[in-house]
Amino acid sequence: MTLFALCATFLVLLALGMPIAFVIGMACMVALVVSGDSLILLQHFMFIGIDSFVLVAVPMFVLAGEIMLKGRMTHALTDFADILVGRFRGGMGHTNIAASVFFAGITGSASADTTALGSVLIPTMAERGYSRAYATAITIASSVIGPIIPPSLTFVIYAMAVGGVSIGELFVAGIIPGLLVALALMVMNYQISRARSYEKRTERYSWSFIGSTFRASLLVLVMPLLIIFGVLSGEFTATEAAAVASIYAVVICMAVTRTLRFTDLPGVLFNTAKTSSIMFLLLATSSVLSYILATQGVPRLIASGFEAVTDNKYVFLLLLNIILLLIGVVLDLFPAIIIFGPIFAAISQSYGIDPVHFGVIFCVNLLLGLNTPPVGSGLFIGAAVGKVRLEELIREVRPFIMMEFLVVLIITYVPFLTTTLPRTLSALVGG
């Protein structure tokens, strides 16, 4: 009855359009009442869910991103991306994707990527002959690169939820998968652009413009390198790295480029607090849900189900990918990580799967849910930023989601793509 009450309340409130954090919290409260447990457990496990020093990294990384956004560093990245890939067919689409790769080093957030780059590139692409729905689809599809390439809030939350996994190694492990996603999206963009006769840049940039753009972009691209090597070398923790990133962003935007003023800081801090509070509420309510599922024996049932079906790790990974896609359809990213991360990570160990490799598979797969209805937040943010109908956006984004799923399968069955680089860099930096 407890699980029935939990699921029924969850689905009803979700269908009514209640925000997912409140849906989880209300469903958990109803489940506790039905089970006869004290409601004190609600606040108890909500507090436990956010009582972690590691989570201080979340507002710090958000702050660094907000500073860079307010300091208008996105323009340099967009110009630099256009220099590199704008001359290919579908040039502005490629520029959009490449800009997401560079932008990933600023925030590690898909929603920030969609809002910041979409507000600039969607109108520009529309002016050059792309449909607004297609321009928006590319923007939200490439926004998932942000949480894969370091610094990644997604990997921070996963490492905190699962335990025993190095955040630094997860950061590095995400680099190649992130680049593979970008390459896959560019291939699809090229094919569609050729079929629809979309543009490509014909004019050449001067060497002086290329040089100034590269120098401006370099100031931004140094930040993820600073974070990665600092964490892997042991000079600072992931939380301290986030603080260093914030300080670096302030120094660059206020002292070097001078695109940020003291009067801008209250707005930056407010946006940081607002974004972080949403994340922490999700983490808190998800912690209660994890407790209820554990007391009802759900992890044990899931593990027994896998053991009954197969003892082959490759079949397990295929089934896992299917299940995670279904989870991503109905549950937001961070709650899904908090609730199911520890369950599936423990099961994966019995199959002998590398923890870092599994962490990347798990997170990248769930990220596809950002652009999948009905809960996909990327769809709603993209529709609002691009000013397009949701139905048109869903139709245009489907080919890109298929390419991203193909990348998930590649990184699932070719583990050296995620494990080689972390081990190599750890050995070099540690030595």
Side-chain angles (χ1 to χ4, degrees):
M1 282 299 296
T2 300
L3 286 178
F4 175 78
L6 178 74
C7 296
T9 306
F10 181 91
L11 293 175
V12 169
L13 295 179
L14 189 66
L16 292 174
M18 181 179 286
I20 187 66
F22 294 100
V23 169
I24 296 172
M26 291 295 294
C28 290
M29 185 172 66
V30 171
L32 289 174
V33 170
V34 171
S35 67
D37 290 332
S38 172
L39 287 179
I40 293 177
L41 292 174
L42 185 68
Q43 62 195 45
H44 173 71
F45 282 99
M46 284 183 71
F47 178 77
I48 288 178
I50 58 176
D51 184 25
S52 172
F53 177 73
V54 175
L55 289 180
V56 178
V58 173
M60 288 287 102
F61 278 130
V62 173
L63 176 61
E66 288 288 339
I67 292 170
M68 287 288 191
L69 288 176
K70 193 65 178 180
R72 299 189 296 276
M73 300 304 292
T74 55
H75 297 288
L77 294 178
T78 303
D79 290 339
F80 184 52
D82 188 41
I83 289 171
L84 294 178
V85 296
R87 290 180 63 83
F88 297 102
R89 175 66 62 185
M92 281 305 299
H94 297 313
T95 298
N96 195 327
I97 297 166
S100 292
V101 174
F102 300 138
F103 195 75
I106 297 180
T107 65
S109 168
S111 59
D113 182 298
T114 299
T115 304
L117 295 181
S119 60
V120 175
L121 291 175
I122 292 174
T124 303
M125 292 180 67
E127 290 174 1
R128 298 195 183 185
Y130 297 84
S131 73
R132 290 191 72 92
Y134 181 77
T136 307
I138 283 188
T139 302
I140 66 171
S142 61
S143 70
V144 304
I145 299 172
I148 301 174
I149 294 179
S152 168
L153 292 177
T154 303
F155 287 145
V156 171
I157 300 300
Y158 176 83
M160 185 276 299
V162 173
V165 186
S166 167
I167 294 177
E169 289 188 3
L170 283 173
F171 279 180
V172 177
I175 294 176
I176 292 178
L179 295 177
L180 285 176
V181 171
L183 180 60
L185 295 180
M186 286 183 177
V187 169
M188 180 56 66
N189 174 59
Y190 177 80
Q191 295 296 331
I192 295 176
S193 297
R194 190 173 65 174
R196 300 182 184 180
S197 299
Y198 284 149
E199 56 79 55
K200 64 178 180 179
R201 178 171 54 81
T202 55
E203 68 274 14
R204 294 182 177 273
Y205 290 125
S206 66
W207 285 107
S208 61
F209 177 80
I210 293 174
S212 62
T213 301
F214 176 74
R215 288 192 296 271
S217 301
L218 194 61
L219 293 174
V220 182
L221 299 177
V222 162
M223 190 168 75
L225 297 177
L226 181 69
I227 293 169
I228 292 171
F229 285 101
V231 173
L232 287 178
S233 64
E235 292 297 323
F236 37 72
T237 64
T239 306
E240 293 165 345
V244 170
S246 298
I247 295 172
Y248 177 82
V250 169
V251 171
I252 292 299
C253 292
M254 298 192 74
V256 180
T257 63
R258 298 188 178 183
T259 51
L260 186 72
R261 298 170 296 179
F262 279 106
T263 54
D264 295 325
L265 292 180
V268 168
L269 294 174
F270 176 77
N271 288 335
T272 299
K274 182 172 66 175
T275 303
S276 301
S277 64
I278 296 171
M279 294 182 182
F280 279 113
L281 184 58
L282 281 169
L283 295 175
T285 54
S286 300
S287 175
V288 187
L289 183 53
S290 295
Y291 162 77
I292 294 174
L293 294 178
T295 56
Q296 295 298 314
V298 173
R300 184 177 63 256
L301 290 174
I302 294 175
S304 300
F306 276 113
E307 291 172 0
V309 171
T310 182
D311 58 358
N312 186 300
K313 73 175 182 179
Y314 299 107
V315 177
F316 162 73
L317 288 172
L318 178 61
L319 295 174
L320 175 74
N321 281 328
I322 296 172
I323 292 172
L324 291 178
L325 283 173
L326 296 175
I327 290 173
V329 169
V330 298
L331 198 59
D332 206 4
L333 176 64
F334 289 153
I337 292 174
I338 294 293
I339 296 165
F340 294 102
I343 297 174
F344 288 120
I347 297 173
S348 71
Q349 291 178 4
S350 65
Y351 286 91
I353 299 170
D354 183 272
V356 174
H357 179 218
F358 179 81
V360 174
I361 295 171
F362 187 89
C363 293
V364 174
N365 198 315
L366 286 177
L367 282 167
L368 298 187
L370 292 174
N371 297 326
T372 306
V375 184
S377 58
L379 290 171
F380 299 102
I381 295 173
V385 172
K387 298 181 176 60
V388 297
R389 290 197 308 159
L390 193 61
E391 297 81 5
E392 296 176 349
L393 180 56
I394 292 173
R395 184 171 58 252
E396 292 283 18
V397 81
R398 283 174 185 166
F400 298 106
I401 293 178
M402 294 301 297
M403 294 300 288
E404 289 170 342
F405 182 65
L406 177 61
V407 172
V408 169
L409 292 179
I410 292 173
I411 64 175
T412 297
Y413 293 109
V414 189
F416 75 84
L417 293 174
T418 56
T419 57
T420 302
L421 193 57
R423 291 170 182 170
T424 302
L425 284 181
S426 295
L428 291 175
V429 176

